[in-house]
Amino acid sequence: MTATTATMRGRAAPGTCFRIAHRGASGRAPENTHAAFAAALELGVDAIELDCQLTADGVPVVIHDETLERTTSGIGPVGAQRWDEIATLDAGGWRSAVFAGEGVPRLADVLRQLAGRVVLNVEIKSARDVGAIERPLVDLVAAHDAGAWVIFSSFHERAVRNVRAASADAAIGVLWDRRPAAGALALAEELGARCIVPSRRLVTPELVAAAHARDLGVWVWTVNDVAEMRRLATIGIDALFSDYPERFAAL
Ligand code: G3P
Ligand code: MG
């Protein structure tokens, strides 16, 4: 089994866990840019997570916030601008002059950049896109022949339901940030998801055991503290998201 195939199953071998670069290696390069994804590839991670939204003209782009101000040179909602406008923005200079000129990537560009070398977790970010983004994403992934290495996730229940409706085969992770965390299990089972994706604050040995009893992985975000990485690894979680994937070496 290749590393990608093993990661896509959701469950890590006992005593191991998958290493996921959160928004790329966002501790060392501007989040959700080609530079952050290249840095993650260099670090040899198992997977990369990114956040995806639609532009006003329906192009899936890679950005976390619903507005452009924090991470780009633009102003206003992501969904209010066309791709040709967003394509002119700088998404690197806010971090450091070294990264000035990094753009907001389209998801299609990232699929080409990664080309199956790692698993890609595409998070459907905005409630505004629910109902509109799922089919285009499934079609884009199919057009790039990337279904074997892309896993979709979202906090929005309707979004993951819509992904499943659009594709019987799509790999899904159920993102979860509220109590009871066990609520994620029923939805994940119903949708045939590969894993639940809880906040680190919600993870207990009982939750891990309940997920594993259903053959679901437990992928935990976002863990930057090495002591906490160790604690979570000890209770048998399957994957960790970190802004600092280089810290996984300490595990
Ligand atoms: O997918 C895990 C994590 O990315 C969820 O939170 O806000 O960083 O997208 P956020
Ligand atoms: Mg995210």
Side-chain angles (χ1 to χ4, degrees):
M1 199 188 313
T2 66
T4 300
T5 312
T7 308
M8 286 296 283
R9 286 193 59 240
R11 295 283 309 274
T16 70
C17 76
F18 305 125
R19 302 152 302 155
I20 306 176
H22 181 241
R23 311 181 193 173
S26 56
R28 57 168 64 183
E31 65 183 58
N32 285 325
T33 63
H34 288 301
F37 304 140
L41 286 176
E42 265 176 41
L43 289 166
V45 296
D46 299 299
I48 290 173
E49 186 260 4
L50 58 72
D51 306 288
C52 193
Q53 301 184 51
L54 290 179
T55 62
D57 51 342
V59 176
V61 291
V62 179
I63 184 167
H64 180 273
D65 295 6
E66 293 188 353
T67 52
L68 295 161
E69 282 84 347
R70 182 178 62 89
T71 59
T72 80
S73 53
I75 305 171
V78 174
Q81 300 208 16
R82 296 185 315 272
W83 164 244
D84 64 347
E85 297 169 306
I86 289 182
T88 66
L89 303 179
D90 185 313
W94 67 279
R95 268 300 288 274
S96 148
V98 174
F99 296 109
E102 277 292 326
V104 175
R106 287 173 294 195
L107 180 59
D109 301 325
V110 179
L111 291 171
R112 275 188 286 272
Q113 179 187 10
L114 301 183
R117 285 180 285 172
V118 288
V119 167
L120 178 63
N121 176 196
V122 175
E123 180 187 344
I124 297 172
K125 192 75 237 176
S126 172
R128 174 184 46 79
D129 291 333
V130 173
I133 195 172
E134 300 89 347
R135 167 61 68 183
L137 291 187
V138 164
D139 289 348
L140 185 67
V141 166
H144 284 78
D145 200 17
W149 53 276
V150 170
I151 178 164
F152 296 99
S153 64
S154 186
F155 288 117
H156 309 298
E157 179 173 334
R158 270 212 303 136
V160 283
R161 287 189 181 283
N162 290 340
V163 168
R164 176 55 75 234
S167 165
D169 305 326
I172 290 174
V174 171
L175 257 174
W176 206 261
D177 63 356
R178 57 201 154 92
R179 296 179 198 280
L185 297 169
L187 180 60
E189 260 197 314
E190 182 192 334
L191 296 181
R194 309 287 169 97
C195 53
I196 59 170
V197 190
S199 159
R200 62 191 171 81
R201 296 181 193 85
L202 299 176
V203 178
T204 61
E206 293 73 26
L207 180 68
V208 173
H212 288 175
R214 294 162 173 79
D215 199 27
L216 292 163
V218 181
W219 292 17
V220 184
W221 53 277
T222 297
V223 189
N224 292 331
D225 177 71
V226 171
E228 189 171 23
M229 288 178 181
R230 287 208 181 97
R231 177 185 74 80
L232 290 161
T234 304
I235 65 173
I237 57 91
D238 298 274
L240 288 169
F241 296 71
S242 183
D243 301 327
Y244 299 91
E246 60 274 24
R247 295 181 188 167
F248 292 133
L251 283 183

